Amino acid sequence: MADANEHDVTFESTDSGSAMTFPLQCSALRKNGHVVIKSRPCKIIDMSTSKTGKHGHAKVNLVATDIFTGRKYEDLSPSTHNMDVPIITRMEYTLIDIEMNTNDEVKGRGFLSLMTEDGTMKEDVKVPDSEIGDKIIADFEQGLELMVTVVSAMGEEHAMSHKEAPKGNN
């Protein structure tokens, strides 16, 4: 008979184990949907299917733009093969402060201090180096209360838009 303590095993705990992508057959992809091309999360802007040729499979030609950088990508894949689809989340946060970067040696503008609905602080989202970042800074400096939309996919997060927070009825 085995000792009672012999089966006491400690398991390390990790995250929920959810993946950053899921597989989907090429033929099931649609325009305005999302797909991973060259390890980047992309939005499909155009797709066409060629007929089955002499050597087998119909091919799907995808044209997509990176959801974070706007860079254009193309891919050609057999319609029966699976492609990865990124899991994209969109969250709204209240903008509390903007930590501007004062160190010239470090690239970038700095970070946004954001707060969730339950009061948790989030301070790891960079100020966008784009027109969106300019508008967020300008509106914040005018004293407007702002809601910032942060899009997350494949371990990356970017502030994608903002709007004035709704006024409370006190």
Side-chain angles (χ1 to χ4, degrees):
M1 205 64 195
D3 185 8
N5 292 333
E6 187 177 323
H7 296 293
D8 286 345
V9 179
T10 304
F11 292 98
E12 297 296 321
S13 63
T14 59
D15 63 6
S16 64
S18 61
M20 293 187 274
T21 62
F22 63 93
L24 188 65
Q25 193 168 342
C26 271
S27 58
L29 295 170
R30 296 288 172 252
K31 189 173 177 180
N32 293 325
H34 295 90
V35 68
V36 176
I37 299 177
K38 295 186 178 146
S39 301
R40 299 294 302 159
C42 298
K43 183 172 184 167
I44 301 168
I45 56 173
D46 190 33
M47 71 183 283
S48 59
T49 307
S50 64
K51 293 183 178 173
T52 305
K54 185 168 137 184
H55 299 290
H57 303 288
K59 300 267 194 277
V60 176
N61 185 34
L62 296 169
V63 179
T65 56
D66 188 309
I67 63 171
F68 296 128
T69 65
R71 185 170 172 206
K72 197 175 195 178
Y73 290 96
E74 284 192 49
D75 194 30
L76 186 66
S77 184
S79 63
T80 56
H81 286 202
N82 284 344
M83 288 192 78
D84 286 332
V85 175
I87 296 172
I88 298 172
T89 57
R90 180 180 238 103
M91 295 285 296
E92 273 198 350
Y93 299 95
T94 304
L95 179 61
I96 302 300
D97 196 13
I98 299 176
E99 298 290 325
M100 294 306 288
N101 182 9
T102 56
N103 185 351
D104 292 337
E105 295 172 14
V106 179
K107 287 194 170 191
R109 294 181 160 178
F111 292 89
L112 302 171
S113 290
L114 305 168
M115 187 170 66
T116 62
E117 281 184 15
D118 67 3
T120 308
M121 293 300 292
K122 180 172 184 57
E123 300 178 320
D124 59 350
V125 178
K126 290 183 178 178
V127 177
D129 288 327
S130 64
E131 195 175 306
I132 294 166
D134 296 339
K135 286 280 296 159
I136 291 172
I137 293 167
D139 289 351
F140 184 73
E141 287 175 347
Q142 286 181 8
L144 297 177
E145 211 174 297
L146 301 175
M147 298 295 291
V148 177
T149 302
V150 176
V151 174
S152 306
M154 298 178 65
E156 259 186 80
E157 290 184 311
H158 289 265
M160 299 302 278
S161 65
H162 76 290
K163 64 183 179 187
E164 193 170 349
K167 303 275 189 255
N169 295 333
N170 293 340

